[in-house]
Amino acid sequence: MIHVERATEEDINEMCLMDRRTINSDARFGKIAHAVGHRQAFIAKSGWDRVGFAIIHRNFFDYTFIDLLIVHPEYRRLGAGDALMAYIEKTCPDDRLFTSTNQSNGVMQALLAKRRYIHSGTIDNLDIDDPEWVYIKWLQHENH
């Protein structure tokens, strides 16, 4: 079973290792450490193993935005990404939640479709010949 909680300083090294496996770079170490320090990072665990993480921010027109979602390669398609998104949706203070992915990222698009996100727009020229697709999910919380 996958459990999600807010990431702490003890999680940073494992998060960076997962990210390095994904992009073959340590370029986002500072971003990950900053997100943890500002309580904007979540870690998915299976038992004692850290299996994925997500980073959010509120810099997208003052709405919550899932900026990064990484799942350990050995745990992909086993529910870690889904658990992270469910946790963020449940705890999101807004009536909507945004994220984005490249047009070429079919795995993430499948997860977004499963979680009932809808395509909300396209940004060209971030990655050459691979547009960024923006998605929204309308949330229904008891307090909204």
Side-chain angles (χ1 to χ4, degrees):
M1 178 164 178
I2 306 290
H3 171 74
V4 176
E5 60 192 40
R6 196 170 299 276
T8 67
E9 288 185 16
E10 292 81 32
D11 299 312
I12 292 174
N13 286 337
E14 285 293 322
M15 293 166 70
C16 290
L17 286 172
M18 275 186 266
D19 192 51
R20 182 187 307 142
R21 284 184 162 168
T22 302
I23 66 169
N24 290 325
S25 170
D26 291 321
R28 296 192 291 213
F29 176 85
K31 176 180 188 165
I32 292 167
H34 179 269
V36 171
H38 286 86
R39 301 178 49 80
Q40 297 171 321
F42 304 92
I43 191 84
K45 296 180 179 178
S46 178
W48 294 102
D49 294 331
R50 293 170 181 94
V51 299
F53 71 93
I55 292 175
I56 63 168
H57 63 69
R58 291 189 49 83
N59 299 334
F60 189 75
F61 303 96
D62 294 325
Y63 287 104
T64 303
F65 186 90
I66 301 172
D67 186 44
L68 190 60
L69 180 79
I70 301 291
V71 175
H72 189 290
E74 295 175 18
Y75 289 90
R76 290 188 180 149
R77 298 193 174 126
L78 297 177
D82 190 54
L84 282 159
M85 293 192 77
Y87 185 89
I88 293 167
E89 291 165 13
K90 181 179 176 185
T91 59
C92 180
D94 304 320
D95 65 348
R96 64 198 86 171
L97 177 61
F98 291 90
T99 193
S100 69
T101 192
N102 288 93
Q103 178 181 341
S104 64
N105 191 342
V107 173
M108 183 63 174
Q109 290 172 30
L111 176 59
L112 293 170
K114 174 184 176 185
R115 298 218 48 88
R116 297 174 41 210
Y117 284 71
I118 55 174
H119 186 253
S120 185
T122 303
I123 303 170
D124 292 320
N125 304 312
L126 292 175
D127 293 321
I128 303 301
D129 296 325
D130 196 6
E132 190 79 7
W133 288 0
V134 178
Y135 289 83
I136 184 175
K137 181 169 185 179
W138 292 95
L139 305 173
Q140 296 180 4
H141 297 301
E142 290 180 14
N143 59 341
H144 290 276

